Amino acid sequence: KLSMRLTAVASYVETGAILADIGSDHAYLPCYLIRNEKISKAIAGEVVKGPFESAKKNVKKEGFENNITVRLGNGLQAVEESDGVDTITIAGMGGPLIASILQEGHTKLGQVKRIITQPNIHSSSIREWAVQNGWVIIDEEILKEDGKIYEIIVLERGQANYDELEMKFGPYLLKEKSPVFIEKWERESTEWKRILGSLEKAGDTEEIYQRKEQLRKEIELVGRV
Ligand code: SAM
């Protein structure tokens, strides 16, 4: 059974989409979408040999070799123009890594209409990449599974302006302010305050000073939510 996290990611893939799942690991996400007949064609990309092999094994076991092409490649290098990919999923990585995959692979985005990301941390990197590259956030979700909190950000082409709070917390998530959202930011804020407290006991080098300023800023931002 697919995790609640990946099931949520899958729910944003439109029926009939041609998908590239980057960093697919076991290829659970594309396999789930094929099994449920939501899509019939996908690329599973992996940069590491071990996960690439397990993706191939899993696709074979499920009998989806005609539907899912597993490729070894860094980021969007796994995508070829002739694939006709119109949807990309990148899940289970940090926001900055996801943003760098999109940045480095921007020439492969020509036919892509929707990008579904699930950053584990620093989701604001994805929002920053989006506004700088002509994408808008069309939906967001936050969920908790096994004590961990995950965010999903869905992008389509367009232009938008987000203020500082929206960039940090997500325009949709900020509006919704769900209990999980509150819990996430209370957790983060508690952690920032703890780090700030211990830095206050440390000496005041320029680096420590900068870090403290940054922590104060973040604590202040959370206070405005
Ligand atoms: N997407 C799956 C999920 O959400 O459950 C797997 C997440 S796993 C934590 C991250 C995967 O991304 C690893 O298998 C790793 O090898 C792969 N990965 C990391 N950087 C990558 C890159 N630049 N290109 C392709 N895959 C990458």
Side-chain angles (χ1 to χ4, degrees):
K1 197 176 171 298
L2 196 66
S3 64
M4 188 174 131
R5 174 182 63 85
L6 284 179
T7 306
V9 172
S11 75
Y12 295 97
V13 176
E14 291 175 298
T15 304
I18 301 176
L19 176 74
D21 182 40
I22 304 301
S24 198
D25 198 356
H26 294 84
Y28 288 148
L29 179 63
C31 284
Y32 169 87
L33 287 162
I34 302 279
R35 205 185 312 122
N36 288 283
E37 295 178 9
K38 201 170 178 189
I39 65 171
S40 58
K41 186 180 170 184
I43 309 297
E46 249 306 327
V47 73
V48 178
K49 200 76 196 278
F52 164 76
E53 295 296 347
S54 51
K56 289 231 311 205
K57 206 171 112 191
N58 217 21
V59 166
K60 191 171 179 202
K61 192 179 87 191
E62 297 240 24
F64 295 152
E65 288 145 301
N66 290 329
N67 308 96
I68 304 173
T69 306
V70 184
R71 291 205 191 107
L72 190 63
N74 186 358
L76 296 177
Q77 280 174 8
V79 176
E80 290 166 14
E81 199 158 339
S82 58
D83 295 330
V85 165
D86 56 24
T87 305
I88 288 175
T89 48
I90 313 181
M93 297 175 218
L97 177 57
I98 295 176
S100 78
I101 289 174
L102 292 169
Q103 184 60 32
E104 282 167 28
H106 72 274
T107 59
K108 299 290 183 82
L109 295 174
Q111 306 171 71
V112 175
K113 296 197 189 77
R114 179 176 286 203
I115 303 172
I116 304 153
T117 66
Q118 186 272 298
N120 289 337
I121 53 163
H122 292 299
S123 56
S124 55
S125 310
I126 293 169
R127 297 188 188 99
E128 275 154 27
W129 178 85
V131 290
Q132 286 162 14
N133 291 277
W135 295 79
V136 287
I137 301 166
I138 62 145
D139 212 345
E140 291 175 313
E141 185 170 333
I142 189 162
L143 65 117
K144 186 170 151 184
E145 183 172 38
D146 298 331
K148 290 204 184 103
I149 295 175
Y150 302 102
E151 286 178 38
I152 296 169
I153 303 176
V154 186
L155 307 173
E156 284 190 358
R157 285 180 195 276
Q159 284 295 336
N161 287 312
Y162 303 111
D163 64 27
E164 195 180 18
L165 286 182
E166 289 171 327
M167 287 302 276
K168 176 87 180 163
F169 302 105
Y172 287 83
L173 302 178
L174 189 63
K175 205 174 274 169
E176 184 190 44
K177 285 199 184 64
S178 71
V180 177
F181 174 86
I182 302 292
E183 184 182 339
K184 176 192 164 90
W185 293 107
E186 275 174 359
R187 276 190 201 179
E188 299 266 337
S189 178
T190 303
E191 180 63 6
W192 293 335
K193 285 174 186 159
R194 191 189 62 75
I195 298 169
L196 186 60
S198 59
L199 284 181
E200 261 149 14
K201 287 177 214 123
D204 226 359
T205 65
E206 178 62 19
E207 202 189 336
I208 292 176
Y209 175 77
Q210 292 299 343
R211 181 75 185 119
K212 286 199 289 198
E213 284 294 285
Q214 192 198 348
L215 286 164
R216 285 193 194 101
K217 175 93 207 284
E218 298 202 277
I219 293 163
E220 189 266 328
L221 272 185
V222 174
R224 276 158 55 191
V225 166

